[in-house]
Amino acid sequence: MDSHHFLETALVFLVATVIAVPLTKRFKLGSVLGYLMAGIVIGPQELRLINDTAGVATISEFGVVLMLFVIGLELSPQRLWVMRRQVFGTGLLQVLATSLVIGAAAYYLFGLTVNAAAIVGGSLALSSTAFGLQILAERKEAGTPYGRQAFAILLFQDLAAIPLIAAVPLLASASTKHGFDLMAVGRTVGIIVAVMVGGRYLLRPVFRFVAKADTVEVSTATALLVVMGTAWLMEVVGVSATLGAFLAGVLLADSEYRHELESHLEPFKGLLLGLFFISVGMSMDVTLLLHQPLRVAMLVACLLLIKGALLWPLGRVVGGLDRRDAMRLAVLLACGGEFAFVVLKLAREQSLITAEQHGLQVLAITLSMAITPLLVALFGKVFQAKPKAARAFDTIVADSPRVIIAGYGRMGQIVARVLRAQGISFVALDHSVEQIDLVQRFGSNNNIFYGDPSRPELLRAAQADQADVFVLASDDPEASLRTARVVRRMYPTMKIVARARNRQHAWRLMDLGVELPVRETLYSSLKMTRMTLEALGMPAEQAADRVERFRRHDAELLKRQYLVYDDDARIVQTTREALADLDQLFQADAEPEPKRVRTKPTGVTPGDEDVTR
């Protein structure tokens, strides 16, 4: 390939990717479909911009190798042990059951050989990890019971893909007239053992030696060397190169170099994996969809129905999900997956399946992946959880509290802990059921109650008229302002100590008579600034003095801007003036004997507390 042709090919790939992938992502169809569509359009069947599909496929297969290595890195023994029940329970049963049913259908209905049916059944049992995790993340459902179950099944499917890829050459050799090749099996087992044992004692010393050089490019080169070297070694003895990459990843999964390796290889993996999916799209026989639409539609329907019908009872019985979550699990994982492209391509090269069978299955997998986001959205609306009945406010039992705390997040909890240690009585109110349940689960807090602190009847029940101070620690600015209005109206003489999200929130609280609201990030930022100055070599006393002077200057600016905070032009002007004043103030420190009275910093060390809710 000459340089001109290479540049032209690279340009076509990049243009197709930049156009297709953002479009599919925009419609929440995933990047994989974008790559496949780009491959179809630029391939030999449509625009014919690229005809060398074999050359592209050869380069792109390295993306699969890197993907398997990264998957191996993520499969640390500790992680698998923690999720052993879900991964090796539901995941194992799903892969076995789906492989058997689809394999039997391929053997009896479509006339495939036993070995070919086994490979087809195993490949179609796998779902799309990229699609599944992306949909869960977009819908913010990764932490739900069905989301955790889906992740465990996908994790086992990634594991199952490795022996499936390794089995293709062995089953292909068994399909020949010579029968099952025992030498091939022995050679495979021997090289796997050699790689595992050798890598265990060689890889870590190598990475330790390279790490001493402290050079990023050498570390990246070493990571690529390990992946390519193991893959090449496996290929030399007739075993899948992807299996070698996976084993190398597993060997380094619990090492201290895991995260560094992942960061070095991620850009290569993403680009080359995208190139692999483009090459799959280029090799797809789209004419089959035009000539045999009913057959393709039947394959897609059978794939979705068989996998969904098997996933639903597994989710209910083994996973312990309710009907709604079991159905959502079935819909999410019923499609085919990206590993099926790898396995079926290898099976086609090994003559286990014909070109037409390969084309039909690739089309069915692609269409099932395209339909999945739409089905998930549809079933998400149909099986949307019914809103829970509003919980009644707690009955408050208080004995003349001196402080009322509104909002019991981390900021409110810190105030409460200090008050409790000082023996000061208080009542805490929070409008979040989850927050109250979480707090009560971790200790006996008899003076913490569920309720909306902006409700006058709740404040009366909490005996707010007996309190001296009202601590407004809510993290919701609007709820905070609403509560402040009610408290100021009902108890005009009560002192209010309020948390403010930012300057605008602070000014609105000041409108309600709250003096100097506590901006939630100010003091922690000042503490970080002081530590930064000390880290740069400034004496601790001088650093504390600079920070304290800035705090006082900023507090004065807050009061000045409060008078004009509804005038944007005046705000900008006062900000510029304040910056100039601050510059002059600090420039005075450069004088040999500054003519000013230095105020000793306060003894408060702000920012030690965690102020986020």
Side-chain angles (χ1 to χ4, degrees):
M1 182 181 295
D2 55 42
S3 60
H4 174 73
H5 184 61
F6 174 79
L7 289 174
E8 186 179 280
T9 303
L11 184 63
V12 170
F13 275 126
L14 293 173
V15 171
T17 300
V18 167
I19 294 174
V21 174
L23 281 176
T24 54
K25 295 268 288 186
R26 182 180 180 85
F27 294 102
K28 297 182 178 180
L29 297 177
S31 57
V32 175
L33 273 181
Y35 288 121
L36 292 171
M37 288 174 55
I40 293 172
V41 172
I42 66 177
Q45 296 191 45
E46 297 300 327
L47 299 182
R48 300 178 183 177
L49 298 177
I50 296 177
N51 295 312
D52 186 16
T53 57
V56 172
T58 301
I59 299 173
S60 65
E61 283 174 1
F62 190 54
V64 181
V65 171
L66 289 177
M67 178 178 68
L68 268 294
F69 178 74
V70 172
I71 288 175
L73 281 177
E74 294 173 352
L75 295 178
S76 62
Q78 293 88 347
R79 189 179 190 184
L80 290 177
W81 179 253
V82 170
M83 302 181 64
R84 61 191 181 279
R85 184 178 180 276
Q86 295 92 337
V87 173
F88 298 103
T90 316
L92 175 61
L93 288 174
Q94 184 272 328
V95 171
L96 288 178
T98 309
S99 300
L100 288 173
V101 173
I102 295 180
Y107 178 75
Y108 289 107
L109 299 180
F110 294 94
L112 272 67
T113 63
V114 174
N115 293 349
I119 291 298
V120 169
S123 62
L124 295 182
L126 307 179
S127 306
S128 175
T129 302
F131 262 50
L133 297 183
Q134 177 187 352
I135 291 173
L136 288 174
E138 287 175 351
R139 298 177 65 87
K140 298 180 180 179
E141 295 175 342
T144 61
Y146 102 92
R148 291 192 295 268
Q149 193 67 66
F151 176 76
I153 292 175
L154 290 170
L155 188 59
F156 183 83
Q157 289 180 356
D158 289 345
L159 280 172
I162 311 308
L164 189 63
I165 291 172
V168 172
L170 299 178
L171 292 176
S173 66
S175 301
T176 63
K177 61 182 180 180
H178 301 294
F180 201 78
D181 190 351
L182 290 176
M183 288 294 294
V185 177
R187 188 166 60 246
T188 301
V189 174
I191 195 62
I192 289 175
V193 172
V195 167
M196 296 292 287
V197 174
R200 185 74 180 176
Y201 295 101
L202 291 178
L203 287 182
R204 291 195 182 188
V206 169
F207 280 104
R208 195 176 299 115
F209 172 76
V210 172
K212 292 179 180 179
D214 195 22
T215 308
V216 175
E217 56 268 24
V218 176
S219 298
T220 304
T222 307
L224 291 172
L225 173 64
V226 169
V227 177
M228 296 177 68
T230 314
W232 172 80
L233 184 62
M234 299 292 276
E235 202 168 55
V236 165
V237 297
V239 185
S240 171
T242 52
L243 177 60
F246 174 78
L247 291 176
V250 171
L251 289 172
L252 294 167
D254 57 351
S255 74
E256 61 272 30
Y257 308 104
R258 170 194 162 189
H259 297 293
E260 184 181 10
L261 287 169
E262 230 172 334
S263 64
H264 289 331
L265 295 178
E266 191 63 34
F268 296 97
K269 186 202 77 171
L271 286 172
L272 291 172
L273 199 56
L275 187 60
F276 171 77
F277 289 125
I278 289 178
S279 71
V280 171
M282 291 170 61
S283 62
M284 284 176 60
D285 191 356
V286 186
T287 57
L288 288 173
L289 183 60
L290 301 176
H291 297 154
Q292 305 180 48
L294 294 178
R295 192 176 184 186
V296 173
M298 183 188 68
L299 287 174
V300 175
C302 287
L303 176 63
L304 294 175
L305 290 174
I306 289 174
K307 292 183 72 173
L310 293 172
L311 279 162
W312 190 84
L314 284 174
R316 290 280 291 151
V317 178
V318 183
L321 302 176
D322 58 27
R323 289 188 178 89
R324 181 176 60 89
D325 280 352
M327 180 60 71
R328 295 167 80 182
L329 176 73
V331 173
L332 181 69
L333 301 183
C335 66
E338 49 271 2
F339 269 119
F341 295 134
V342 181
V343 177
L344 292 173
K345 184 174 182 295
L346 191 59
R348 172 69 189 94
E349 293 171 351
Q350 297 286 338
S351 301
L352 273 174
I353 57 176
T354 64
E356 184 180 4
Q357 291 169 344
H358 173 264
L360 285 171
Q361 291 174 68
V362 168
L363 272 176
I365 294 168
T366 304
L367 293 175
S368 71
M369 293 170 70
I371 293 171
T372 294
L374 304 177
L375 292 177
V376 169
L378 176 63
F379 277 83
K381 292 182 179 179
V382 172
F383 292 95
Q384 191 171 7
K386 296 181 180 179
K388 296 181 180 179
R391 169 176 163 177
F393 293 151
D394 291 342
T395 301
I396 299 177
V397 181
D399 185 16
S400 301
R402 295 188 60 193
V403 179
I404 305 293
I405 302 175
Y408 204 69
R410 295 180 184 176
M411 206 165 183
Q413 289 175 38
I414 291 171
V415 176
R417 286 162 59 187
V418 175
L419 293 177
R420 185 181 290 112
Q422 296 296 316
I424 300 173
S425 60
F426 68 91
V427 167
L429 306 172
D430 199 291
H431 197 207
S432 170
V433 176
E434 293 79 9
Q435 183 71 10
I436 294 296
D437 291 342
L438 179 65
V439 171
Q440 292 178 345
R441 193 182 309 144
F442 286 96
S444 57
N445 297 281
N446 298 325
N447 51 352
I448 299 168
F449 303 95
Y450 166 72
D452 184 354
S454 66
R455 298 277 297 265
E457 63 271 25
L458 196 70
L459 293 176
R460 282 192 287 266
Q463 299 183 23
D465 57 331
Q466 304 292 324
D468 300 318
V469 180
F470 193 95
V471 177
L472 198 49
S474 172
D475 67 341
D476 183 347
E478 292 304 322
S480 169
L481 292 168
R482 189 166 57 249
T483 303
R485 290 190 191 97
V486 174
V487 173
R488 182 56 71 213
R489 186 179 69 247
M490 294 180 64
Y491 312 104
T493 61
M494 182 182 289
K495 298 176 183 177
I496 300 178
V497 178
R499 165 188 184 178
R501 173 67 60 83
N502 47 39
R503 301 179 84 90
Q504 288 74 22
H505 186 201
W507 290 327
R508 294 177 69 186
L509 286 169
M510 292 166 71
D511 280 339
L512 297 172
V514 178
E515 295 183 2
L516 293 180
V518 181
R519 282 173 285 161
E520 59 187 29
T521 57
L522 174 65
Y523 293 114
S524 53
S525 301
L526 292 176
K527 180 65 177 291
M528 290 182 66
T529 304
R530 194 183 76 184
M531 294 173 66
T532 302
L533 294 175
E534 291 177 7
L536 291 171
M538 184 177 291
E541 182 181 355
Q542 185 180 2
D545 175 73
R546 296 287 177 87
V547 169
E548 173 62 15
R549 290 167 62 200
F550 175 85
R551 185 196 65 77
R552 293 198 309 272
H553 183 271
D554 188 69
E556 293 172 2
L557 176 62
L558 182 70
K559 291 180 180 179
R560 288 165 53 195
Q561 290 185 331
Y562 167 62
L563 301 175
V564 295
Y565 79 84
D566 54 348
D567 187 339
D568 291 342
R570 293 292 301 278
I571 289 289
V572 172
Q573 180 183 350
T574 52
T575 301
R576 290 174 177 170
E577 292 172 354
L579 287 174
D581 292 344
L582 189 64
D583 286 341
Q584 292 177 4
L585 189 64
F586 283 138
Q587 283 174 9
D589 288 338
E591 300 175 8
E593 295 181 0
K595 296 180 180 180
R596 58 184 173 79
V597 178
R598 299 174 66 93
T599 304
K600 295 182 68 174
T602 62
V604 180
T605 55
D608 290 337
E609 71 277 1
D610 187 350
V611 295
T612 59
R613 180 178 178 91

